[in-house]
PDB file of all heavy atoms in Angstrom:
ATOM      1  N   LEU W 287      86.108  64.546  58.607  1.00 98.00           N
ATOM      2  CA  LEU W 287      85.090  64.574  59.609  1.00 98.00           C
ATOM      3  C   LEU W 287      83.793  63.681  59.139  1.00 98.00           C
ATOM      4  O   LEU W 287      83.277  62.967  59.913  1.00 98.00           O
ATOM      5  CB  LEU W 287      84.577  65.970  60.093  1.00 98.00           C
ATOM      6  CG  LEU W 287      85.541  66.714  61.062  1.00 98.00           C
ATOM      7  CD1 LEU W 287      85.014  68.076  61.163  1.00 98.00           C
ATOM      8  CD2 LEU W 287      85.765  65.939  62.263  1.00 98.00           C
ATOM      9  N   THR W 288      83.462  63.832  57.881  1.00 98.00           N
ATOM     10  CA  THR W 288      82.421  63.123  57.267  1.00 98.00           C
ATOM     11  C   THR W 288      82.675  61.675  57.320  1.00 98.00           C
ATOM     12  O   THR W 288      81.882  60.929  57.719  1.00 98.00           O
ATOM     13  CB  THR W 288      82.158  63.635  55.849  1.00 98.00           C
ATOM     14  OG1 THR W 288      81.720  65.032  55.910  1.00 98.00           O
ATOM     15  CG2 THR W 288      81.013  62.799  55.230  1.00 98.00           C
ATOM     16  N   ALA W 289      83.857  61.309  56.963  1.00 98.00           N
ATOM     17  CA  ALA W 289      84.260  59.905  56.874  1.00 98.00           C
ATOM     18  C   ALA W 289      84.281  59.277  58.271  1.00 98.00           C
ATOM     19  O   ALA W 289      83.925  58.052  58.494  1.00 98.00           O
ATOM     20  CB  ALA W 289      85.606  59.785  56.208  1.00 98.00           C
ATOM     21  N   ALA W 290      84.770  60.110  59.328  1.00 97.00           N
ATOM     22  CA  ALA W 290      84.844  59.610  60.540  1.00 97.00           C
ATOM     23  C   ALA W 290      83.577  59.205  61.186  1.00 97.00           C
ATOM     24  O   ALA W 290      83.418  58.242  62.010  1.00 97.00           O
ATOM     25  CB  ALA W 290      85.550  60.630  61.580  1.00 97.00           C
ATOM     26  N   ALA W 291      82.534  59.923  60.755  1.00 96.00           N
ATOM     27  CA  ALA W 291      81.175  59.633  61.213  1.00 96.00           C
ATOM     28  C   ALA W 291      80.523  58.629  60.462  1.00 96.00           C
ATOM     29  O   ALA W 291      79.339  58.217  60.790  1.00 96.00           O
ATOM     30  CB  ALA W 291      80.408  60.910  61.335  1.00 96.00           C
ATOM     31  N   ASP W 292      80.993  58.118  59.328  1.00 98.00           N
ATOM     32  CA  ASP W 292      80.381  57.184  58.387  1.00 98.00           C
ATOM     33  C   ASP W 292      80.955  55.857  58.463  1.00 98.00           C
ATOM     34  O   ASP W 292      82.010  55.609  57.855  1.00 98.00           O
ATOM     35  CB  ASP W 292      80.418  57.811  57.067  1.00 98.00           C
ATOM     36  CG  ASP W 292      79.620  56.967  55.964  1.00 98.00           C
ATOM     37  OD1 ASP W 292      78.974  55.957  56.500  1.00 98.00           O
ATOM     38  OD2 ASP W 292      79.646  57.225  54.780  1.00 98.00           O
ATOM     39  N   PRO W 293      80.444  54.914  59.221  1.00 96.00           N
ATOM     40  CA  PRO W 293      81.133  53.537  59.272  1.00 96.00           C
ATOM     41  C   PRO W 293      81.193  52.734  57.918  1.00 96.00           C
ATOM     42  O   PRO W 293      81.927  51.875  57.692  1.00 96.00           O
ATOM     43  CB  PRO W 293      80.081  52.681  60.196  1.00 96.00           C
ATOM     44  CG  PRO W 293      78.896  53.438  60.252  1.00 96.00           C
ATOM     45  CD  PRO W 293      79.126  54.922  59.918  1.00 96.00           C
ATOM     46  N   ALA W 294      80.490  53.291  56.828  1.00 98.00           N
ATOM     47  CA  ALA W 294      80.428  52.663  55.645  1.00 98.00           C
ATOM     48  C   ALA W 294      81.764  52.897  54.907  1.00 98.00           C
ATOM     49  O   ALA W 294      82.124  52.185  54.012  1.00 98.00           O
ATOM     50  CB  ALA W 294      79.361  53.122  54.724  1.00 98.00           C
ATOM     51  N   THR W 295      82.518  53.927  55.362  1.00 98.00           N
ATOM     52  CA  THR W 295      83.801  54.145  54.718  1.00 98.00           C
ATOM     53  C   THR W 295      84.955  53.299  55.309  1.00 98.00           C
ATOM     54  O   THR W 295      86.046  53.333  54.757  1.00 98.00           O
ATOM     55  CB  THR W 295      84.220  55.599  54.791  1.00 98.00           C
ATOM     56  OG1 THR W 295      84.350  55.937  56.288  1.00 98.00           O
ATOM     57  CG2 THR W 295      83.156  56.466  54.252  1.00 98.00           C
ATOM     58  N   ALA W 296      84.659  52.514  56.374  1.00 98.00           N
ATOM     59  CA  ALA W 296      85.695  51.615  56.870  1.00 98.00           C
ATOM     60  C   ALA W 296      86.135  50.601  55.936  1.00 98.00           C
ATOM     61  O   ALA W 296      85.285  49.902  55.371  1.00 98.00           O
ATOM     62  CB  ALA W 296      85.120  51.129  58.292  1.00 98.00           C
ATOM     63  N   GLY W 297      87.511  50.302  55.852  1.00 98.00           N
ATOM     64  CA  GLY W 297      87.948  49.418  54.971  1.00 98.00           C
ATOM     65  C   GLY W 297      88.051  49.855  53.538  1.00 98.00           C
ATOM     66  O   GLY W 297      88.256  49.057  52.611  1.00 98.00           O
ATOM     67  N   HIS W 298      87.934  51.284  53.325  1.00 97.00           N
ATOM     68  CA  HIS W 298      87.905  51.821  51.935  1.00 97.00           C
ATOM     69  C   HIS W 298      88.971  53.106  51.952  1.00 97.00           C
ATOM     70  O   HIS W 298      89.145  53.592  52.867  1.00 97.00           O
ATOM     71  CB  HIS W 298      86.537  52.237  51.525  1.00 97.00           C
ATOM     72  CG  HIS W 298      85.471  51.127  51.446  1.00 97.00           C
ATOM     73  ND1 HIS W 298      85.536  50.194  50.363  1.00 97.00           N
ATOM     74  CD2 HIS W 298      84.551  50.769  52.325  1.00 97.00           C
ATOM     75  CE1 HIS W 298      84.575  49.329  50.613  1.00 97.00           C
ATOM     76  NE2 HIS W 298      83.958  49.605  51.738  1.00 97.00           N
ATOM     77  N   THR W 299      89.248  53.315  50.736  1.00 96.00           N
ATOM     78  CA  THR W 299      90.017  54.673  50.477  1.00 96.00           C
ATOM     79  C   THR W 299      88.920  55.659  49.902  1.00 96.00           C
ATOM     80  O   THR W 299      87.895  55.269  49.276  1.00 96.00           O
ATOM     81  CB  THR W 299      91.022  54.454  49.432  1.00 96.00           C
ATOM     82  OG1 THR W 299      90.522  54.169  48.115  1.00 96.00           O
ATOM     83  CG2 THR W 299      92.022  53.505  49.817  1.00 96.00           C
ATOM     84  N   VAL W 300      89.167  56.833  50.298  1.00 97.00           N
ATOM     85  CA  VAL W 300      88.238  58.082  49.859  1.00 97.00           C
ATOM     86  C   VAL W 300      89.045  59.028  49.117  1.00 97.00           C
ATOM     87  O   VAL W 300      89.899  59.699  49.906  1.00 97.00           O
ATOM     88  CB  VAL W 300      87.444  58.599  50.954  1.00 97.00           C
ATOM     89  CG1 VAL W 300      86.566  59.769  50.513  1.00 97.00           C
ATOM     90  CG2 VAL W 300      86.522  57.462  51.620  1.00 97.00           C
ATOM     91  N   ALA W 301      88.894  59.156  47.887  1.00 95.00           N
ATOM     92  CA  ALA W 301      89.591  60.300  47.172  1.00 95.00           C
ATOM     93  C   ALA W 301      88.630  61.396  47.049  1.00 95.00           C
ATOM     94  O   ALA W 301      87.352  61.306  47.174  1.00 95.00           O
ATOM     95  CB  ALA W 301      90.021  59.737  45.714  1.00 95.00           C
ATOM     96  N   LEU W 302      89.221  62.671  46.759  1.00 95.00           N
ATOM     97  CA  LEU W 302      88.289  63.811  46.613  1.00 95.00           C
ATOM     98  C   LEU W 302      89.100  64.810  45.824  1.00 95.00           C
ATOM     99  O   LEU W 302      90.309  64.677  45.673  1.00 95.00           O
ATOM    100  CB  LEU W 302      88.029  64.323  48.022  1.00 95.00           C
ATOM    101  CG  LEU W 302      89.140  64.788  48.992  1.00 95.00           C
ATOM    102  CD1 LEU W 302      88.625  65.845  49.968  1.00 95.00           C
ATOM    103  CD2 LEU W 302      89.796  63.700  49.712  1.00 95.00           C
TER     104      LEU W 302
END
Side-chain angles (χ1 to χ4, degrees):
L287 286 175
T288 299
D292 183 4
T295 64
H298 297 283
T299 64
V300 177
L302 58 161

